[in-house]
Structures are given as C-alpha cells and as structure tokens.
Amino acid sequence: MPPVIEQSFMKALFHGVISEDMIFPFPEMPAEDRENVSMILDSVRKFCAASVDSAKIDREHEIPAEVLEGLKGLGLFGLQIPTDFDGIGLSSTAYARVMQEVASVDTSIAVTLGAHQSIGLKAILLFGTPEQKRKYLPKLATGEHVAAFALTEPAAGSDAAAIKTRAELSPDGTHYVINGSKIWITNGGFADVFTVFARTSSVEEGQKPKITAFIVEREWGVKSGPSEHKLGIRGTSTTELFFDDVKVPVENVIGEVGKGFKVAMEVLNNGRLGLASGSLGLARTLMKLAIERVQERRAFGRSIGEFGLIKDKIARMLAQMFALESMTYLTTGMIDQKVADYSVESAICKVMGSEVVWEVVNETLQIAAGIGYMSDYPYERMLRDARINLIFEGTNEILRAFIALTGLQGPGKALVEVSKALREPIKGFGLLSDFAVRRAKTVLGRERMSRAHPLLSHEVVIFEDMTGELANYVDSTLRKHGRRIAEMQFAQRRVAEMAMDLYALAACISRTTRAIERRGEEGAKREIDLTRVFGGLAHRRMATIVSEFARNDDELRKSVASRAYTDGAYPFDIL
Amino acid sequence: MKILVPLKRVADPDNANKVKIPASGEKIDTTGLEPKPNPFDEYALEAALRLTENGQTPKVRAGEVIVVTFGPKECDTTLRAALATGADRAIRVDTTDDKLDGDLVARALKAIVDREKPDVVVMGKQAVDGDSNQVAQLLAEYLDWPQATFAATVHEEDGALLVGREVDGGVITLRVKLPAVVSVDLRIVAPTSVYSTKTARTFKYNDGVRFAALPAIMAAKKKPLVELKLADLTADVAPKIVYNAFQAPPARKAGIKVKDVADLVLHLKDEAKVL
C-alpha cells in the first residue's frame, strides 16, 4: 500500500488510490438508533398525514402557524442538537433519514427545517463556545427561536470573498457594529437568531478580505424585507436582511476572528447532506406516484407500464435513486464514524441528489403527461419545488468546480513536492520512491477493490478501470497545465463528473456486497440488479468523458460563446 | 388512577390480504408483512392516557399507565413506542403467539393484575389478526370484576366509570364500579369520547391517537421494561384451543356478462335457481 495520503476516500481516489477500508463494510445504523428513528418517522408520518396540506402551503405561500407549532412540539427543530441542550441528539445518519421523510411530504417544510438546523444553527453546534451553546441551543432546539444562515449578498453568492457587509470593532473593544445587507435568506422573515458573515478587514485592492462569523439576534436591530415570490418552495420565507449599525457583543464571534470562511465551508459541507437526503425523499414520493400512474393509466388496451419506454424510465430512476441513497448514507455513516474530511463526498451527494430528483420529477411528470401539467395534481408543484436544489447551497456548477479543484489539490501538491524532491534527490528519496511506486501502480496495473462480492466483479472492473483513467488524466493535466487548471472549467467538469459516478458506483458496490453477505444472491437480487443498471449507466457516461480527454471541442465552444456575447443575441433569422 | 393496558403486535392489518396459507394448512404465513400494534390496542392506550391526565396538560401524568404484551423480544419495540407515547412502565411476557390462546392470555393477565392491582384494565375489543374477542370477557370473569365491552365513550366518575356502548338503535350507558375491565371500540378516540375527572368537559381532544414527540421517544429508553416468563404467571401454560388446520376462503369465480334481461332471467332461473 502506498502511504496514507488522504483522509478522504474521494481525495485518495484522485491519486488513483482506492482506500476501500473507508467504504467497506457499508455503514449501518446501530439497532438502537434504528428503533428510535422508526418511532420518529412514525410520529412524523402521523403528524404530516393529519396536519400538512402541501397544495395549500404552495397556494397560500405560507406554512400555517399551527403546523410550525406542531413541528416544534414534535421536537423537529432540534434533531442534531445534543440532549444536554434539550435537543434530540441524532447522529448524522439519523438526521438525514428524518429529513428524507419530511421532504417526502413537503419541500417547503423540509427547507424551513433545513435552513434552521442544517445550516442556520450549525455554526454554533460545530464551532460555538460552551457559553454560546448554553445560551442559544436550548431555545433553538425547541423551536422557541428559529435560526437562519446569512451569507449571500447581491454581489457575493458562491464567491464568499466578495462579501461587503462589514463588522467594525467598537473603540472600547466590547462589540462589533455590523452594517450591510444579505439577500435570499431562508427563514429571513421570522428567524430570531442569525449566523451572519461579515468582513472584519478593510477593503483593500488585491487583498483577501478577512471574513468573520457572528451570532446575531433579531432584536439587536436586524430588519427583514418582504417575502420574495418564488418558482417553488413557496411556503418558505425568503427575504432580504438589513443590518444598520447592529451592535453585536464580541462574545458572539463564532470561531476565530477572520476565520469565518472556514466556518461557512464546514457548515455548508455538513448541510449539503440534508439536501441530498431530502432530494431522495421527494424522489421516493414521485416514484410512488409514477408506479401508481403507469399501472392505472391504460392506452392501446394495456396499462402504459407495460410499454418498454415507460419501463426504461422507471428502471433508470430506480437505479439513480439507489445510487443516491447509497452514497448519501455511506457519507453520513463516515461522518458518524468521525471521518474528518468529507467535503468532496458531501458536495457530490448534493449535486447528485439535486440532479437525480430533477430527472425523477421531470420523468414522472412526463409519465403523467397531461395531468402532470395540471395544477390540480401534485406533479407540477413538485417539479417547481425540486428545482431549487440545483441552485442553492452552492450551484451545481460551483460545486463541480469545488469537487474537481478540491480533489486536484492533493495530486497537485504531491507533484510540487516531487519536483522539489527531484531538485534535492537525497533528502527527497523516500517521498520520491513512494510516488514512483504509486505512479507505477496506476500506469502498469490498476488499483484493486478487493472487498467487493465476486457477483459484482463486472462493476468492480468498471470502477477500477475508470479510477485509473481519472488518476491518469488528473496527473497528466496537472503536469501539463499546473496551476492553470483553476481556470480550466471544461476539464474540471469532466473530473467532477467522473468523481461523482465513481463515488456513486463505489457506494452501490459496497452496499450490495453487504446485502449479498447478509441475504445471499437471491435475497439481494434487487440490489444486485440496480447496481448493474447503475454501473451500465455510469460506465457509458464515464466512457464518453474519457473519450473527451483525448479529443474535444472545448476551445471551439468557448469562442462560439464569446462571439455570441459580442453579437448580443442569437445571430440568425431565416428572413 | 392506575391502568393496565394489554397490547398485541400483529401483522400489518392494512395488508392482511397478503397473508399466505401453506398447502399443509398448519399455520398462517405472515412473512414480509410489517409488524404493527393492534389498532384497537392503540385506541385503548389513548383512552388510558386520557383517563390519567388533564387534557390541557397532556405531558403531566396523573396516575399510572402500565402496558403489557405477550411475545418475543421484537415486541419490545411496540412497548417502547407505547412508553414514548406516555405509558409509564412496560412488561413483556416472553412467549410466542402460537403457544397462546385467549384463555391463557386472560389467565396470565389475571396474575399480572393480582400483582399490579390496577384500578382498571383497558384493552382493545379484539386483536385484528385472530379476531377472537375473548380476553376482556374472560379476564373480567377470572377476576370477578365488572366489565364493559366495546366502549365508545368513557367518562370517569368518583370510583366508577360511565361507559357508553353503541348498539343497534342507540347508545347504552353503563356505570361500572372500579376495579373493572373495559374493552374499547374505535369510536373511543373521537375528540369528546374520554374524560378524566381532571379534564374539563368542554375540552376537545384531537381526533385519533396521539403520537410521540421526539424527546419523549428518546426518554422512553429510560422507562422500566421488565420481562416475565409465562410460567411465572400461571402453572398451566397449555392452551385450551388447538387449531387443526387453516384454509383460505375459496377464490371467487369470475362472473359472466348477460346479453339482456331475458338472458339474465334465464340464468337466474336455470343456473342460480333463485327464481
């Protein structure tokens, strides 16, 4: 084995290293958690069946107050807050599963709950001092206070470094004065406690700003704009926030002054898994609708479910959902096992989740056809609700760049060190030989995944081959372009998409291996079949990307786009 | 008030059509059906909780609710769900359903009642798997206690319960002195069906059974759950009812389409022989 170079399964994979001990055996919820979660889900289902009317929430652009009160009474606002602070103390896996259930009923409610605890209060949970936790978490756990996460600004979305909201230390050093505004803040209309990111350094040309995270209470003077009108998730409150000389005591800095960027990243890394499991929840509801519909709707003397094109849609959806579920709960399992670095994995889950649910909602609406388009049926609402997932908490484009660049960092660093070592051959000998071994491995033979069940050997070969392709491409691209890779978004997209399919496939293989070991080939038939269907889909996608490594029209496409910017519009007309 | 509520875990009643009977006819096969609490027992638990609280402050228990079940280790889940919903203590008598009949359960329950001395046993009128509808009546007989079966309403009075039973053409109201055995029907979970002496008669419950809040689910693990052996409760553990064979009802034959009324009459006369 090469030396341990990365603490993350995916980061290692970019080196061509398959750290299979990180994904085998497929993680499993402890029996006690399972029993608790089943009971929690039972309560959630009963509550939602009795009290939640999603069509009404969508129509009236509001979650009724009594529904919110009911959710608070159930304890759904404090799912991951430790019991010492009056929360429920769920693990990451249990939390994701509960959010999946909520999202399977209503996306507005899931997003409201997620904005509160997946991100709104997460910074206090992860980085808060004992005093901050004692002061804020108990009321947030019961929902007496609601939290929101305030990062985005008109000129600073994914580009957090462009934040203009500033926090200035008072002359006596007791508090900061915050001025500025934030946009598109979920729960912005009624939240009581905000995690606010503001710059604590002066604006200097070419200088990276220092961003700091603060806990800000509404009553210190935070003002909200009116609720924005939106395509979907209409029951959520999305508003602007205004900070006009808002005084925040220095005790309310989260983490260290100037380290707010790290706080934001950690919170978002963690929060993305709630979106992935939420996407799965909605997809499950849609799958149920789709199956009911294809069995009930008849055409040409049979139910439309009998037709090949419908079966193809259902099978693809199932395989993609299976992959999403496997990767999401593989990742939450890693977090629960205290794996420290899961940033690439969680970003992959968010991108995959939002794209799977978008495909599932689009295909289900297509299956429902005419009625799918009608507002009297839930399909169009679900389509509108699902769309936000591709945009918020990092657009899928930004996240693709993030996945690729974060993954490339390790191999990039190794290459730098190797070239350094080449200049100092004796001192660098150990490093050099490790590197040489690793390189030789990926070039001569492929890295192995040995813990998979032999029934999945075909999928394992796909995984190993494509891992080799990815690592070689990463290596040659870095050698050729070095730092310029940061500007090469076409290459980044290819790397990210290979990484996504590889992670999904690895998760399917691990999960199905466990299923076969438990229940035998017959008992694990469903898992085996879905792994094979997904393996086929992923293989074809990855093969296309590999062919593009060698030959593509990236430059042509760029120039076509640039010319269009000059033209200002579509340049043709048949007249 | 101290109340004993027997609970039974049954195969998912909403999918009862999926049970299979093997060719040997020796048992009913419920493989693949999710186990759930017997609905009438859930109603009984809800009634017991309403009787031991002021409806306005349901988190404060005035009295004690003990749940008991007969079954293997897996049934602990059913008991813990009941504890999470508000019951105070749980007892599981370790056995399996195939070793029981209604009479044996009633005798074992009598032994538990003798130990626990509840003021009232509130139970579902029947379990939806076997549909025997015997245990409440037998238990009352063995205890020599008054019984009120199929209760649709229960109002607590001083030392007694006023029980409403729906019968053809109206409602019969019984006053049973405590201690007593009450079996409940589905109407018992309507908003104004059950009142303790602490709950104002103007108060209206939510329709149906309550569900556990998440903190209560986590706290339920700390509530006592004891396991007993059937033999500790009764020396005679042989069931009196022995099932010889099970068989599915005959499948319905497909109907036929008739051309017209004349044809219909012909069929009714010649084939069905009803005319």
Side-chain angles (χ1 to χ4, degrees), chain B residues 10-162:
Chain B
V10 298
D12 183 1
D14 295 331
N15 284 301
N17 57 336
K18 290 188 185 152
V19 299
K20 292 182 212 71
I21 295 170
S24 65
E26 59 184 348
K27 60 171 181 179
I28 292 175
D29 183 7
T30 56
T31 319
L33 288 188
E34 200 189 331
K36 294 208 167 149
N38 175 40
F40 290 112
D41 297 348
E42 289 192 293
Y43 307 152
L45 175 62
E46 174 65 27
L49 293 172
R50 290 184 187 184
L51 284 171
T52 52
E53 70 189 10
N54 176 343
Q56 252 131 8
T57 54
K59 281 181 185 164
V60 186
R61 297 249 68 76
E64 190 179 19
V65 175
I66 306 158
V67 287
V68 55
T69 196
F70 294 76
K73 183 95 185 124
E74 296 88 278
C75 296
D76 283 354
T77 310
T78 309
L79 293 175
R80 265 198 286 272
L83 293 173
T85 315
D88 299 277
R89 287 194 286 130
I91 300 167
R92 180 172 62 81
V93 182
D94 190 52
T95 178
T96 50
D97 206 35
D98 57 334
K99 297 195 180 71
L100 300 171
D101 64 12
D103 179 69
L104 179 50
V105 171
R107 284 184 286 126
L109 279 176
K110 176 185 184 303
I112 292 173
V113 170
D114 288 343
R115 289 179 188 195
E116 295 287 348
K117 307 205 170 14
D119 300 299
V120 54
V121 179
V122 180
M123 55 203 300
K125 66 170 183 175
Q126 67 199 64
V128 296
D129 50 1
D131 281 326
S132 303
N133 189 345
Q134 294 179 349
V135 178
Q137 296 88 334
L138 284 164
L139 175 61
E141 183 62 26
Y142 288 135
L143 288 167
D144 201 17
W145 284 7
Q147 59 175 303
T149 54
F150 316 150
T153 58
V154 177
H155 294 186
E156 185 194 358
E157 295 184 334
D158 211 16
L161 297 175
L162 209 58

Side-chain angles (χ1 to χ4, degrees), chain B residues 154-184:
Chain B
V154 177
H155 294 186
E156 185 194 358
E157 295 184 334
D158 211 16
L161 297 175
L162 209 58
V163 176
R165 311 172 73 229
E166 289 183 346
V167 294
D168 287 347
V171 174
I172 296 177
T173 306
L174 307 171
R175 178 171 286 110
V176 284
K177 287 205 180 112
L178 298 179
V181 176
V182 175
S183 82
V184 301

Side-chain angles (χ1 to χ4, degrees), chain A residues 9 118 127 198 215 257 269 299 305 325 375 414 430 451 457-458 532 559:
Chain A
F9 175 77
S118 271
F127 298 97
I215 308 168
V257 174
N269 284 342
E325 183 174 64
S375 298
R451 295 181 65 174
S457 59
H458 182 66
R532 289 185 176 154
S559 70

Side-chain angles (χ1 to χ4, degrees), chain A residues 18 43 106 159 186 246 325 414 489 506 517 527 554 575:
Chain A
I18 300 171
S43 287
D106 190 273
D159 179 13
T186 310
V246 175
E325 183 174 64
Q489 295 204 324
E517 284 163 2
E527 285 97 330
D554 296 358
L575 291 177

